Amino acid sequence: MRIARQNWWTAGFLAPSVGLIGIFVLIPIALTVWLSLHRWSTATPFGDAEWVGLDNFDALFGSDLVGRDFRQALRNTFVYAGVSIALLIPLSILFGTIVHRAAVRGTTLLRTVLFATYTVPMIAVAIVWSKLYSPTEGPINQALGWFGISPQPWLSDTSSALISLVFLNVWQQLGYFTVLVVAGLTQIPPSVYEAAALDGARNVKLLFRITLPLLRRTLLFCVVIALINAIQVFEPVATITQGGPVGATNVLTYHIREVGIERSQGGLASAMAVTLLLALVVVVTLVFALMRKGDDR
């Protein structure tokens, strides 16, 4: 009787949260999947949606303009996410190790400065970095001029525009992941390093034999969160480049907004969103599988 009463109390406390998740997460996902199977204009009611089955998905992977634009946006999204993670994780480990060392002077100030970037809204970061990248008055090009390097078209060149946005993302996210790495480092007993030092291990061996293996779960969390954040990128593209030049920064979230709202093709945009969700699930599952495989060794 007592256990049943406790279960009722537990269910009662969880009910509001579960209800909010259902209203704001599960129902929108189900509605998006339903719309992806229909031809629907965002200017009309749901009741006017016309069943088309998998035609929207066929269009995404077809050879016409719709398919080419979608595949370019999907490719840009995963290039953006991959390069961001490739820069964020090593830099987070580097700065996290520096901050964790109590002997470093100004550690508190460094930790504050690093994390402060994460608290700044992305829209404000995008506006500031658009000024930094200015080809004529931007501080970056002015600094390059001191070394005799001509001004670079950071955001107007198809070969550099997406990478320029990656640098913006890394700068904004680095402090958050550094704090996560520091939290993981504090869980490693100092005695482990002391024992390894007695065996003759030095900095490089300590990093690859002790630090990284014991940080595996923290780094897994960092990779997953960094991947989700990167795939959801929208504000820098909408504020600075609007998907240009020539679609070089047209990531999928911005493309979904353009197709669904500006072109009023709600069914096609929903199919893009479902495809992005499935791709994200597959990638995250692979990351967890690789991490689990590493734990089994």
Side-chain angles (χ1 to χ4, degrees):
M1 185 67 179
R2 181 180 300 175
I3 295 177
R5 186 178 303 156
Q6 290 176 350
N7 291 337
W8 277 109
W9 276 106
T10 301
F13 281 116
L14 290 177
S17 298
V18 173
L20 290 175
I21 292 175
I23 293 173
F24 294 105
V25 178
L26 298 181
I27 292 178
I29 290 177
L31 182 60
T32 301
V33 174
W34 181 81
L35 286 174
S36 69
L37 303 175
H38 293 74
R39 182 180 293 110
W40 173 67
S41 172
T42 54
T44 61
F46 287 146
D48 295 339
E50 176 188 356
W51 172 267
V52 294
L54 298 177
D55 287 355
N56 288 325
F57 294 93
D58 290 338
L60 296 184
F61 296 97
S63 58
D64 59 359
L65 182 61
V66 172
R68 291 197 299 270
D69 287 346
F70 169 75
R71 289 192 294 274
Q72 182 185 27
L74 185 64
R75 182 172 59 252
N76 289 342
T77 299
F78 280 100
V79 169
Y80 178 92
V83 178
S84 294
I85 293 173
L87 293 175
L88 268 174
I89 302 305
L91 288 175
S92 299
I93 296 172
L94 173 63
F95 283 103
T97 304
I98 294 174
V99 172
H100 183 63
R101 292 179 181 274
V104 175
R105 295 183 179 181
T107 300
T108 303
L109 177 62
L110 179 60
R111 186 187 299 116
T112 303
V113 170
L114 287 173
F115 191 74
T117 61
Y118 186 72
T119 63
V120 181
M122 178 58 83
I123 187 69
V125 174
I127 293 173
V128 171
W129 275 77
S130 66
K131 303 301 181 183
L132 294 177
Y133 281 136
S134 174
T136 56
E137 301 177 354
I140 296 177
N141 277 333
Q142 290 181 0
L144 292 177
W146 298 340
F147 301 95
I149 302 176
S150 59
Q152 301 297 311
W154 298 104
L155 299 173
S156 58
D157 191 334
T158 56
S159 62
S160 62
L162 188 63
I163 299 301
S164 298
L165 295 184
V166 168
F167 292 152
L168 182 158
N169 179 61
V170 170
W171 181 87
Q172 203 263 348
Q173 301 280 332
L174 181 59
Y176 173 70
F177 292 106
T178 297
V179 171
L180 293 179
V181 171
V182 171
L185 289 172
T186 58
Q187 302 303 313
I188 301 177
S191 58
V192 176
Y193 289 105
E194 294 172 0
L198 292 175
D199 291 336
R202 293 296 179 263
N203 292 333
V204 176
K205 284 189 176 182
L206 288 176
L207 175 64
F208 288 99
R209 298 293 180 86
I210 304 296
T211 303
L212 293 182
L214 295 181
L215 275 179
R216 184 183 297 273
R217 296 188 180 278
T218 299
L219 296 180
L220 170 63
F221 179 79
C222 291
V223 169
V224 172
I225 297 300
L227 176 64
I228 294 174
N229 290 342
I231 286 180
Q232 291 179 337
V233 61
F234 177 80
E235 293 94 338
V237 177
T239 304
I240 303 176
T241 63
Q242 292 80 47
V246 199
T249 61
N250 186 29
V251 293
L252 201 50
T253 51
Y254 184 80
H255 190 56
I256 290 172
R257 179 256 184 193
E258 182 182 29
V259 172
I261 296 179
E262 296 185 6
R263 304 181 190 174
S264 298
Q265 295 177 309
L268 190 61
S270 297
M272 294 179 183
V274 172
T275 304
L276 177 61
L277 176 62
L278 294 176
L280 181 59
V281 170
V282 170
V283 172
V284 172
T285 301
L286 290 175
V287 171
F288 275 99
L290 291 174
M291 190 62 63
R292 188 179 300 112
K293 184 177 180 180
D295 289 338
D296 294 340
R297 291 178 179 177

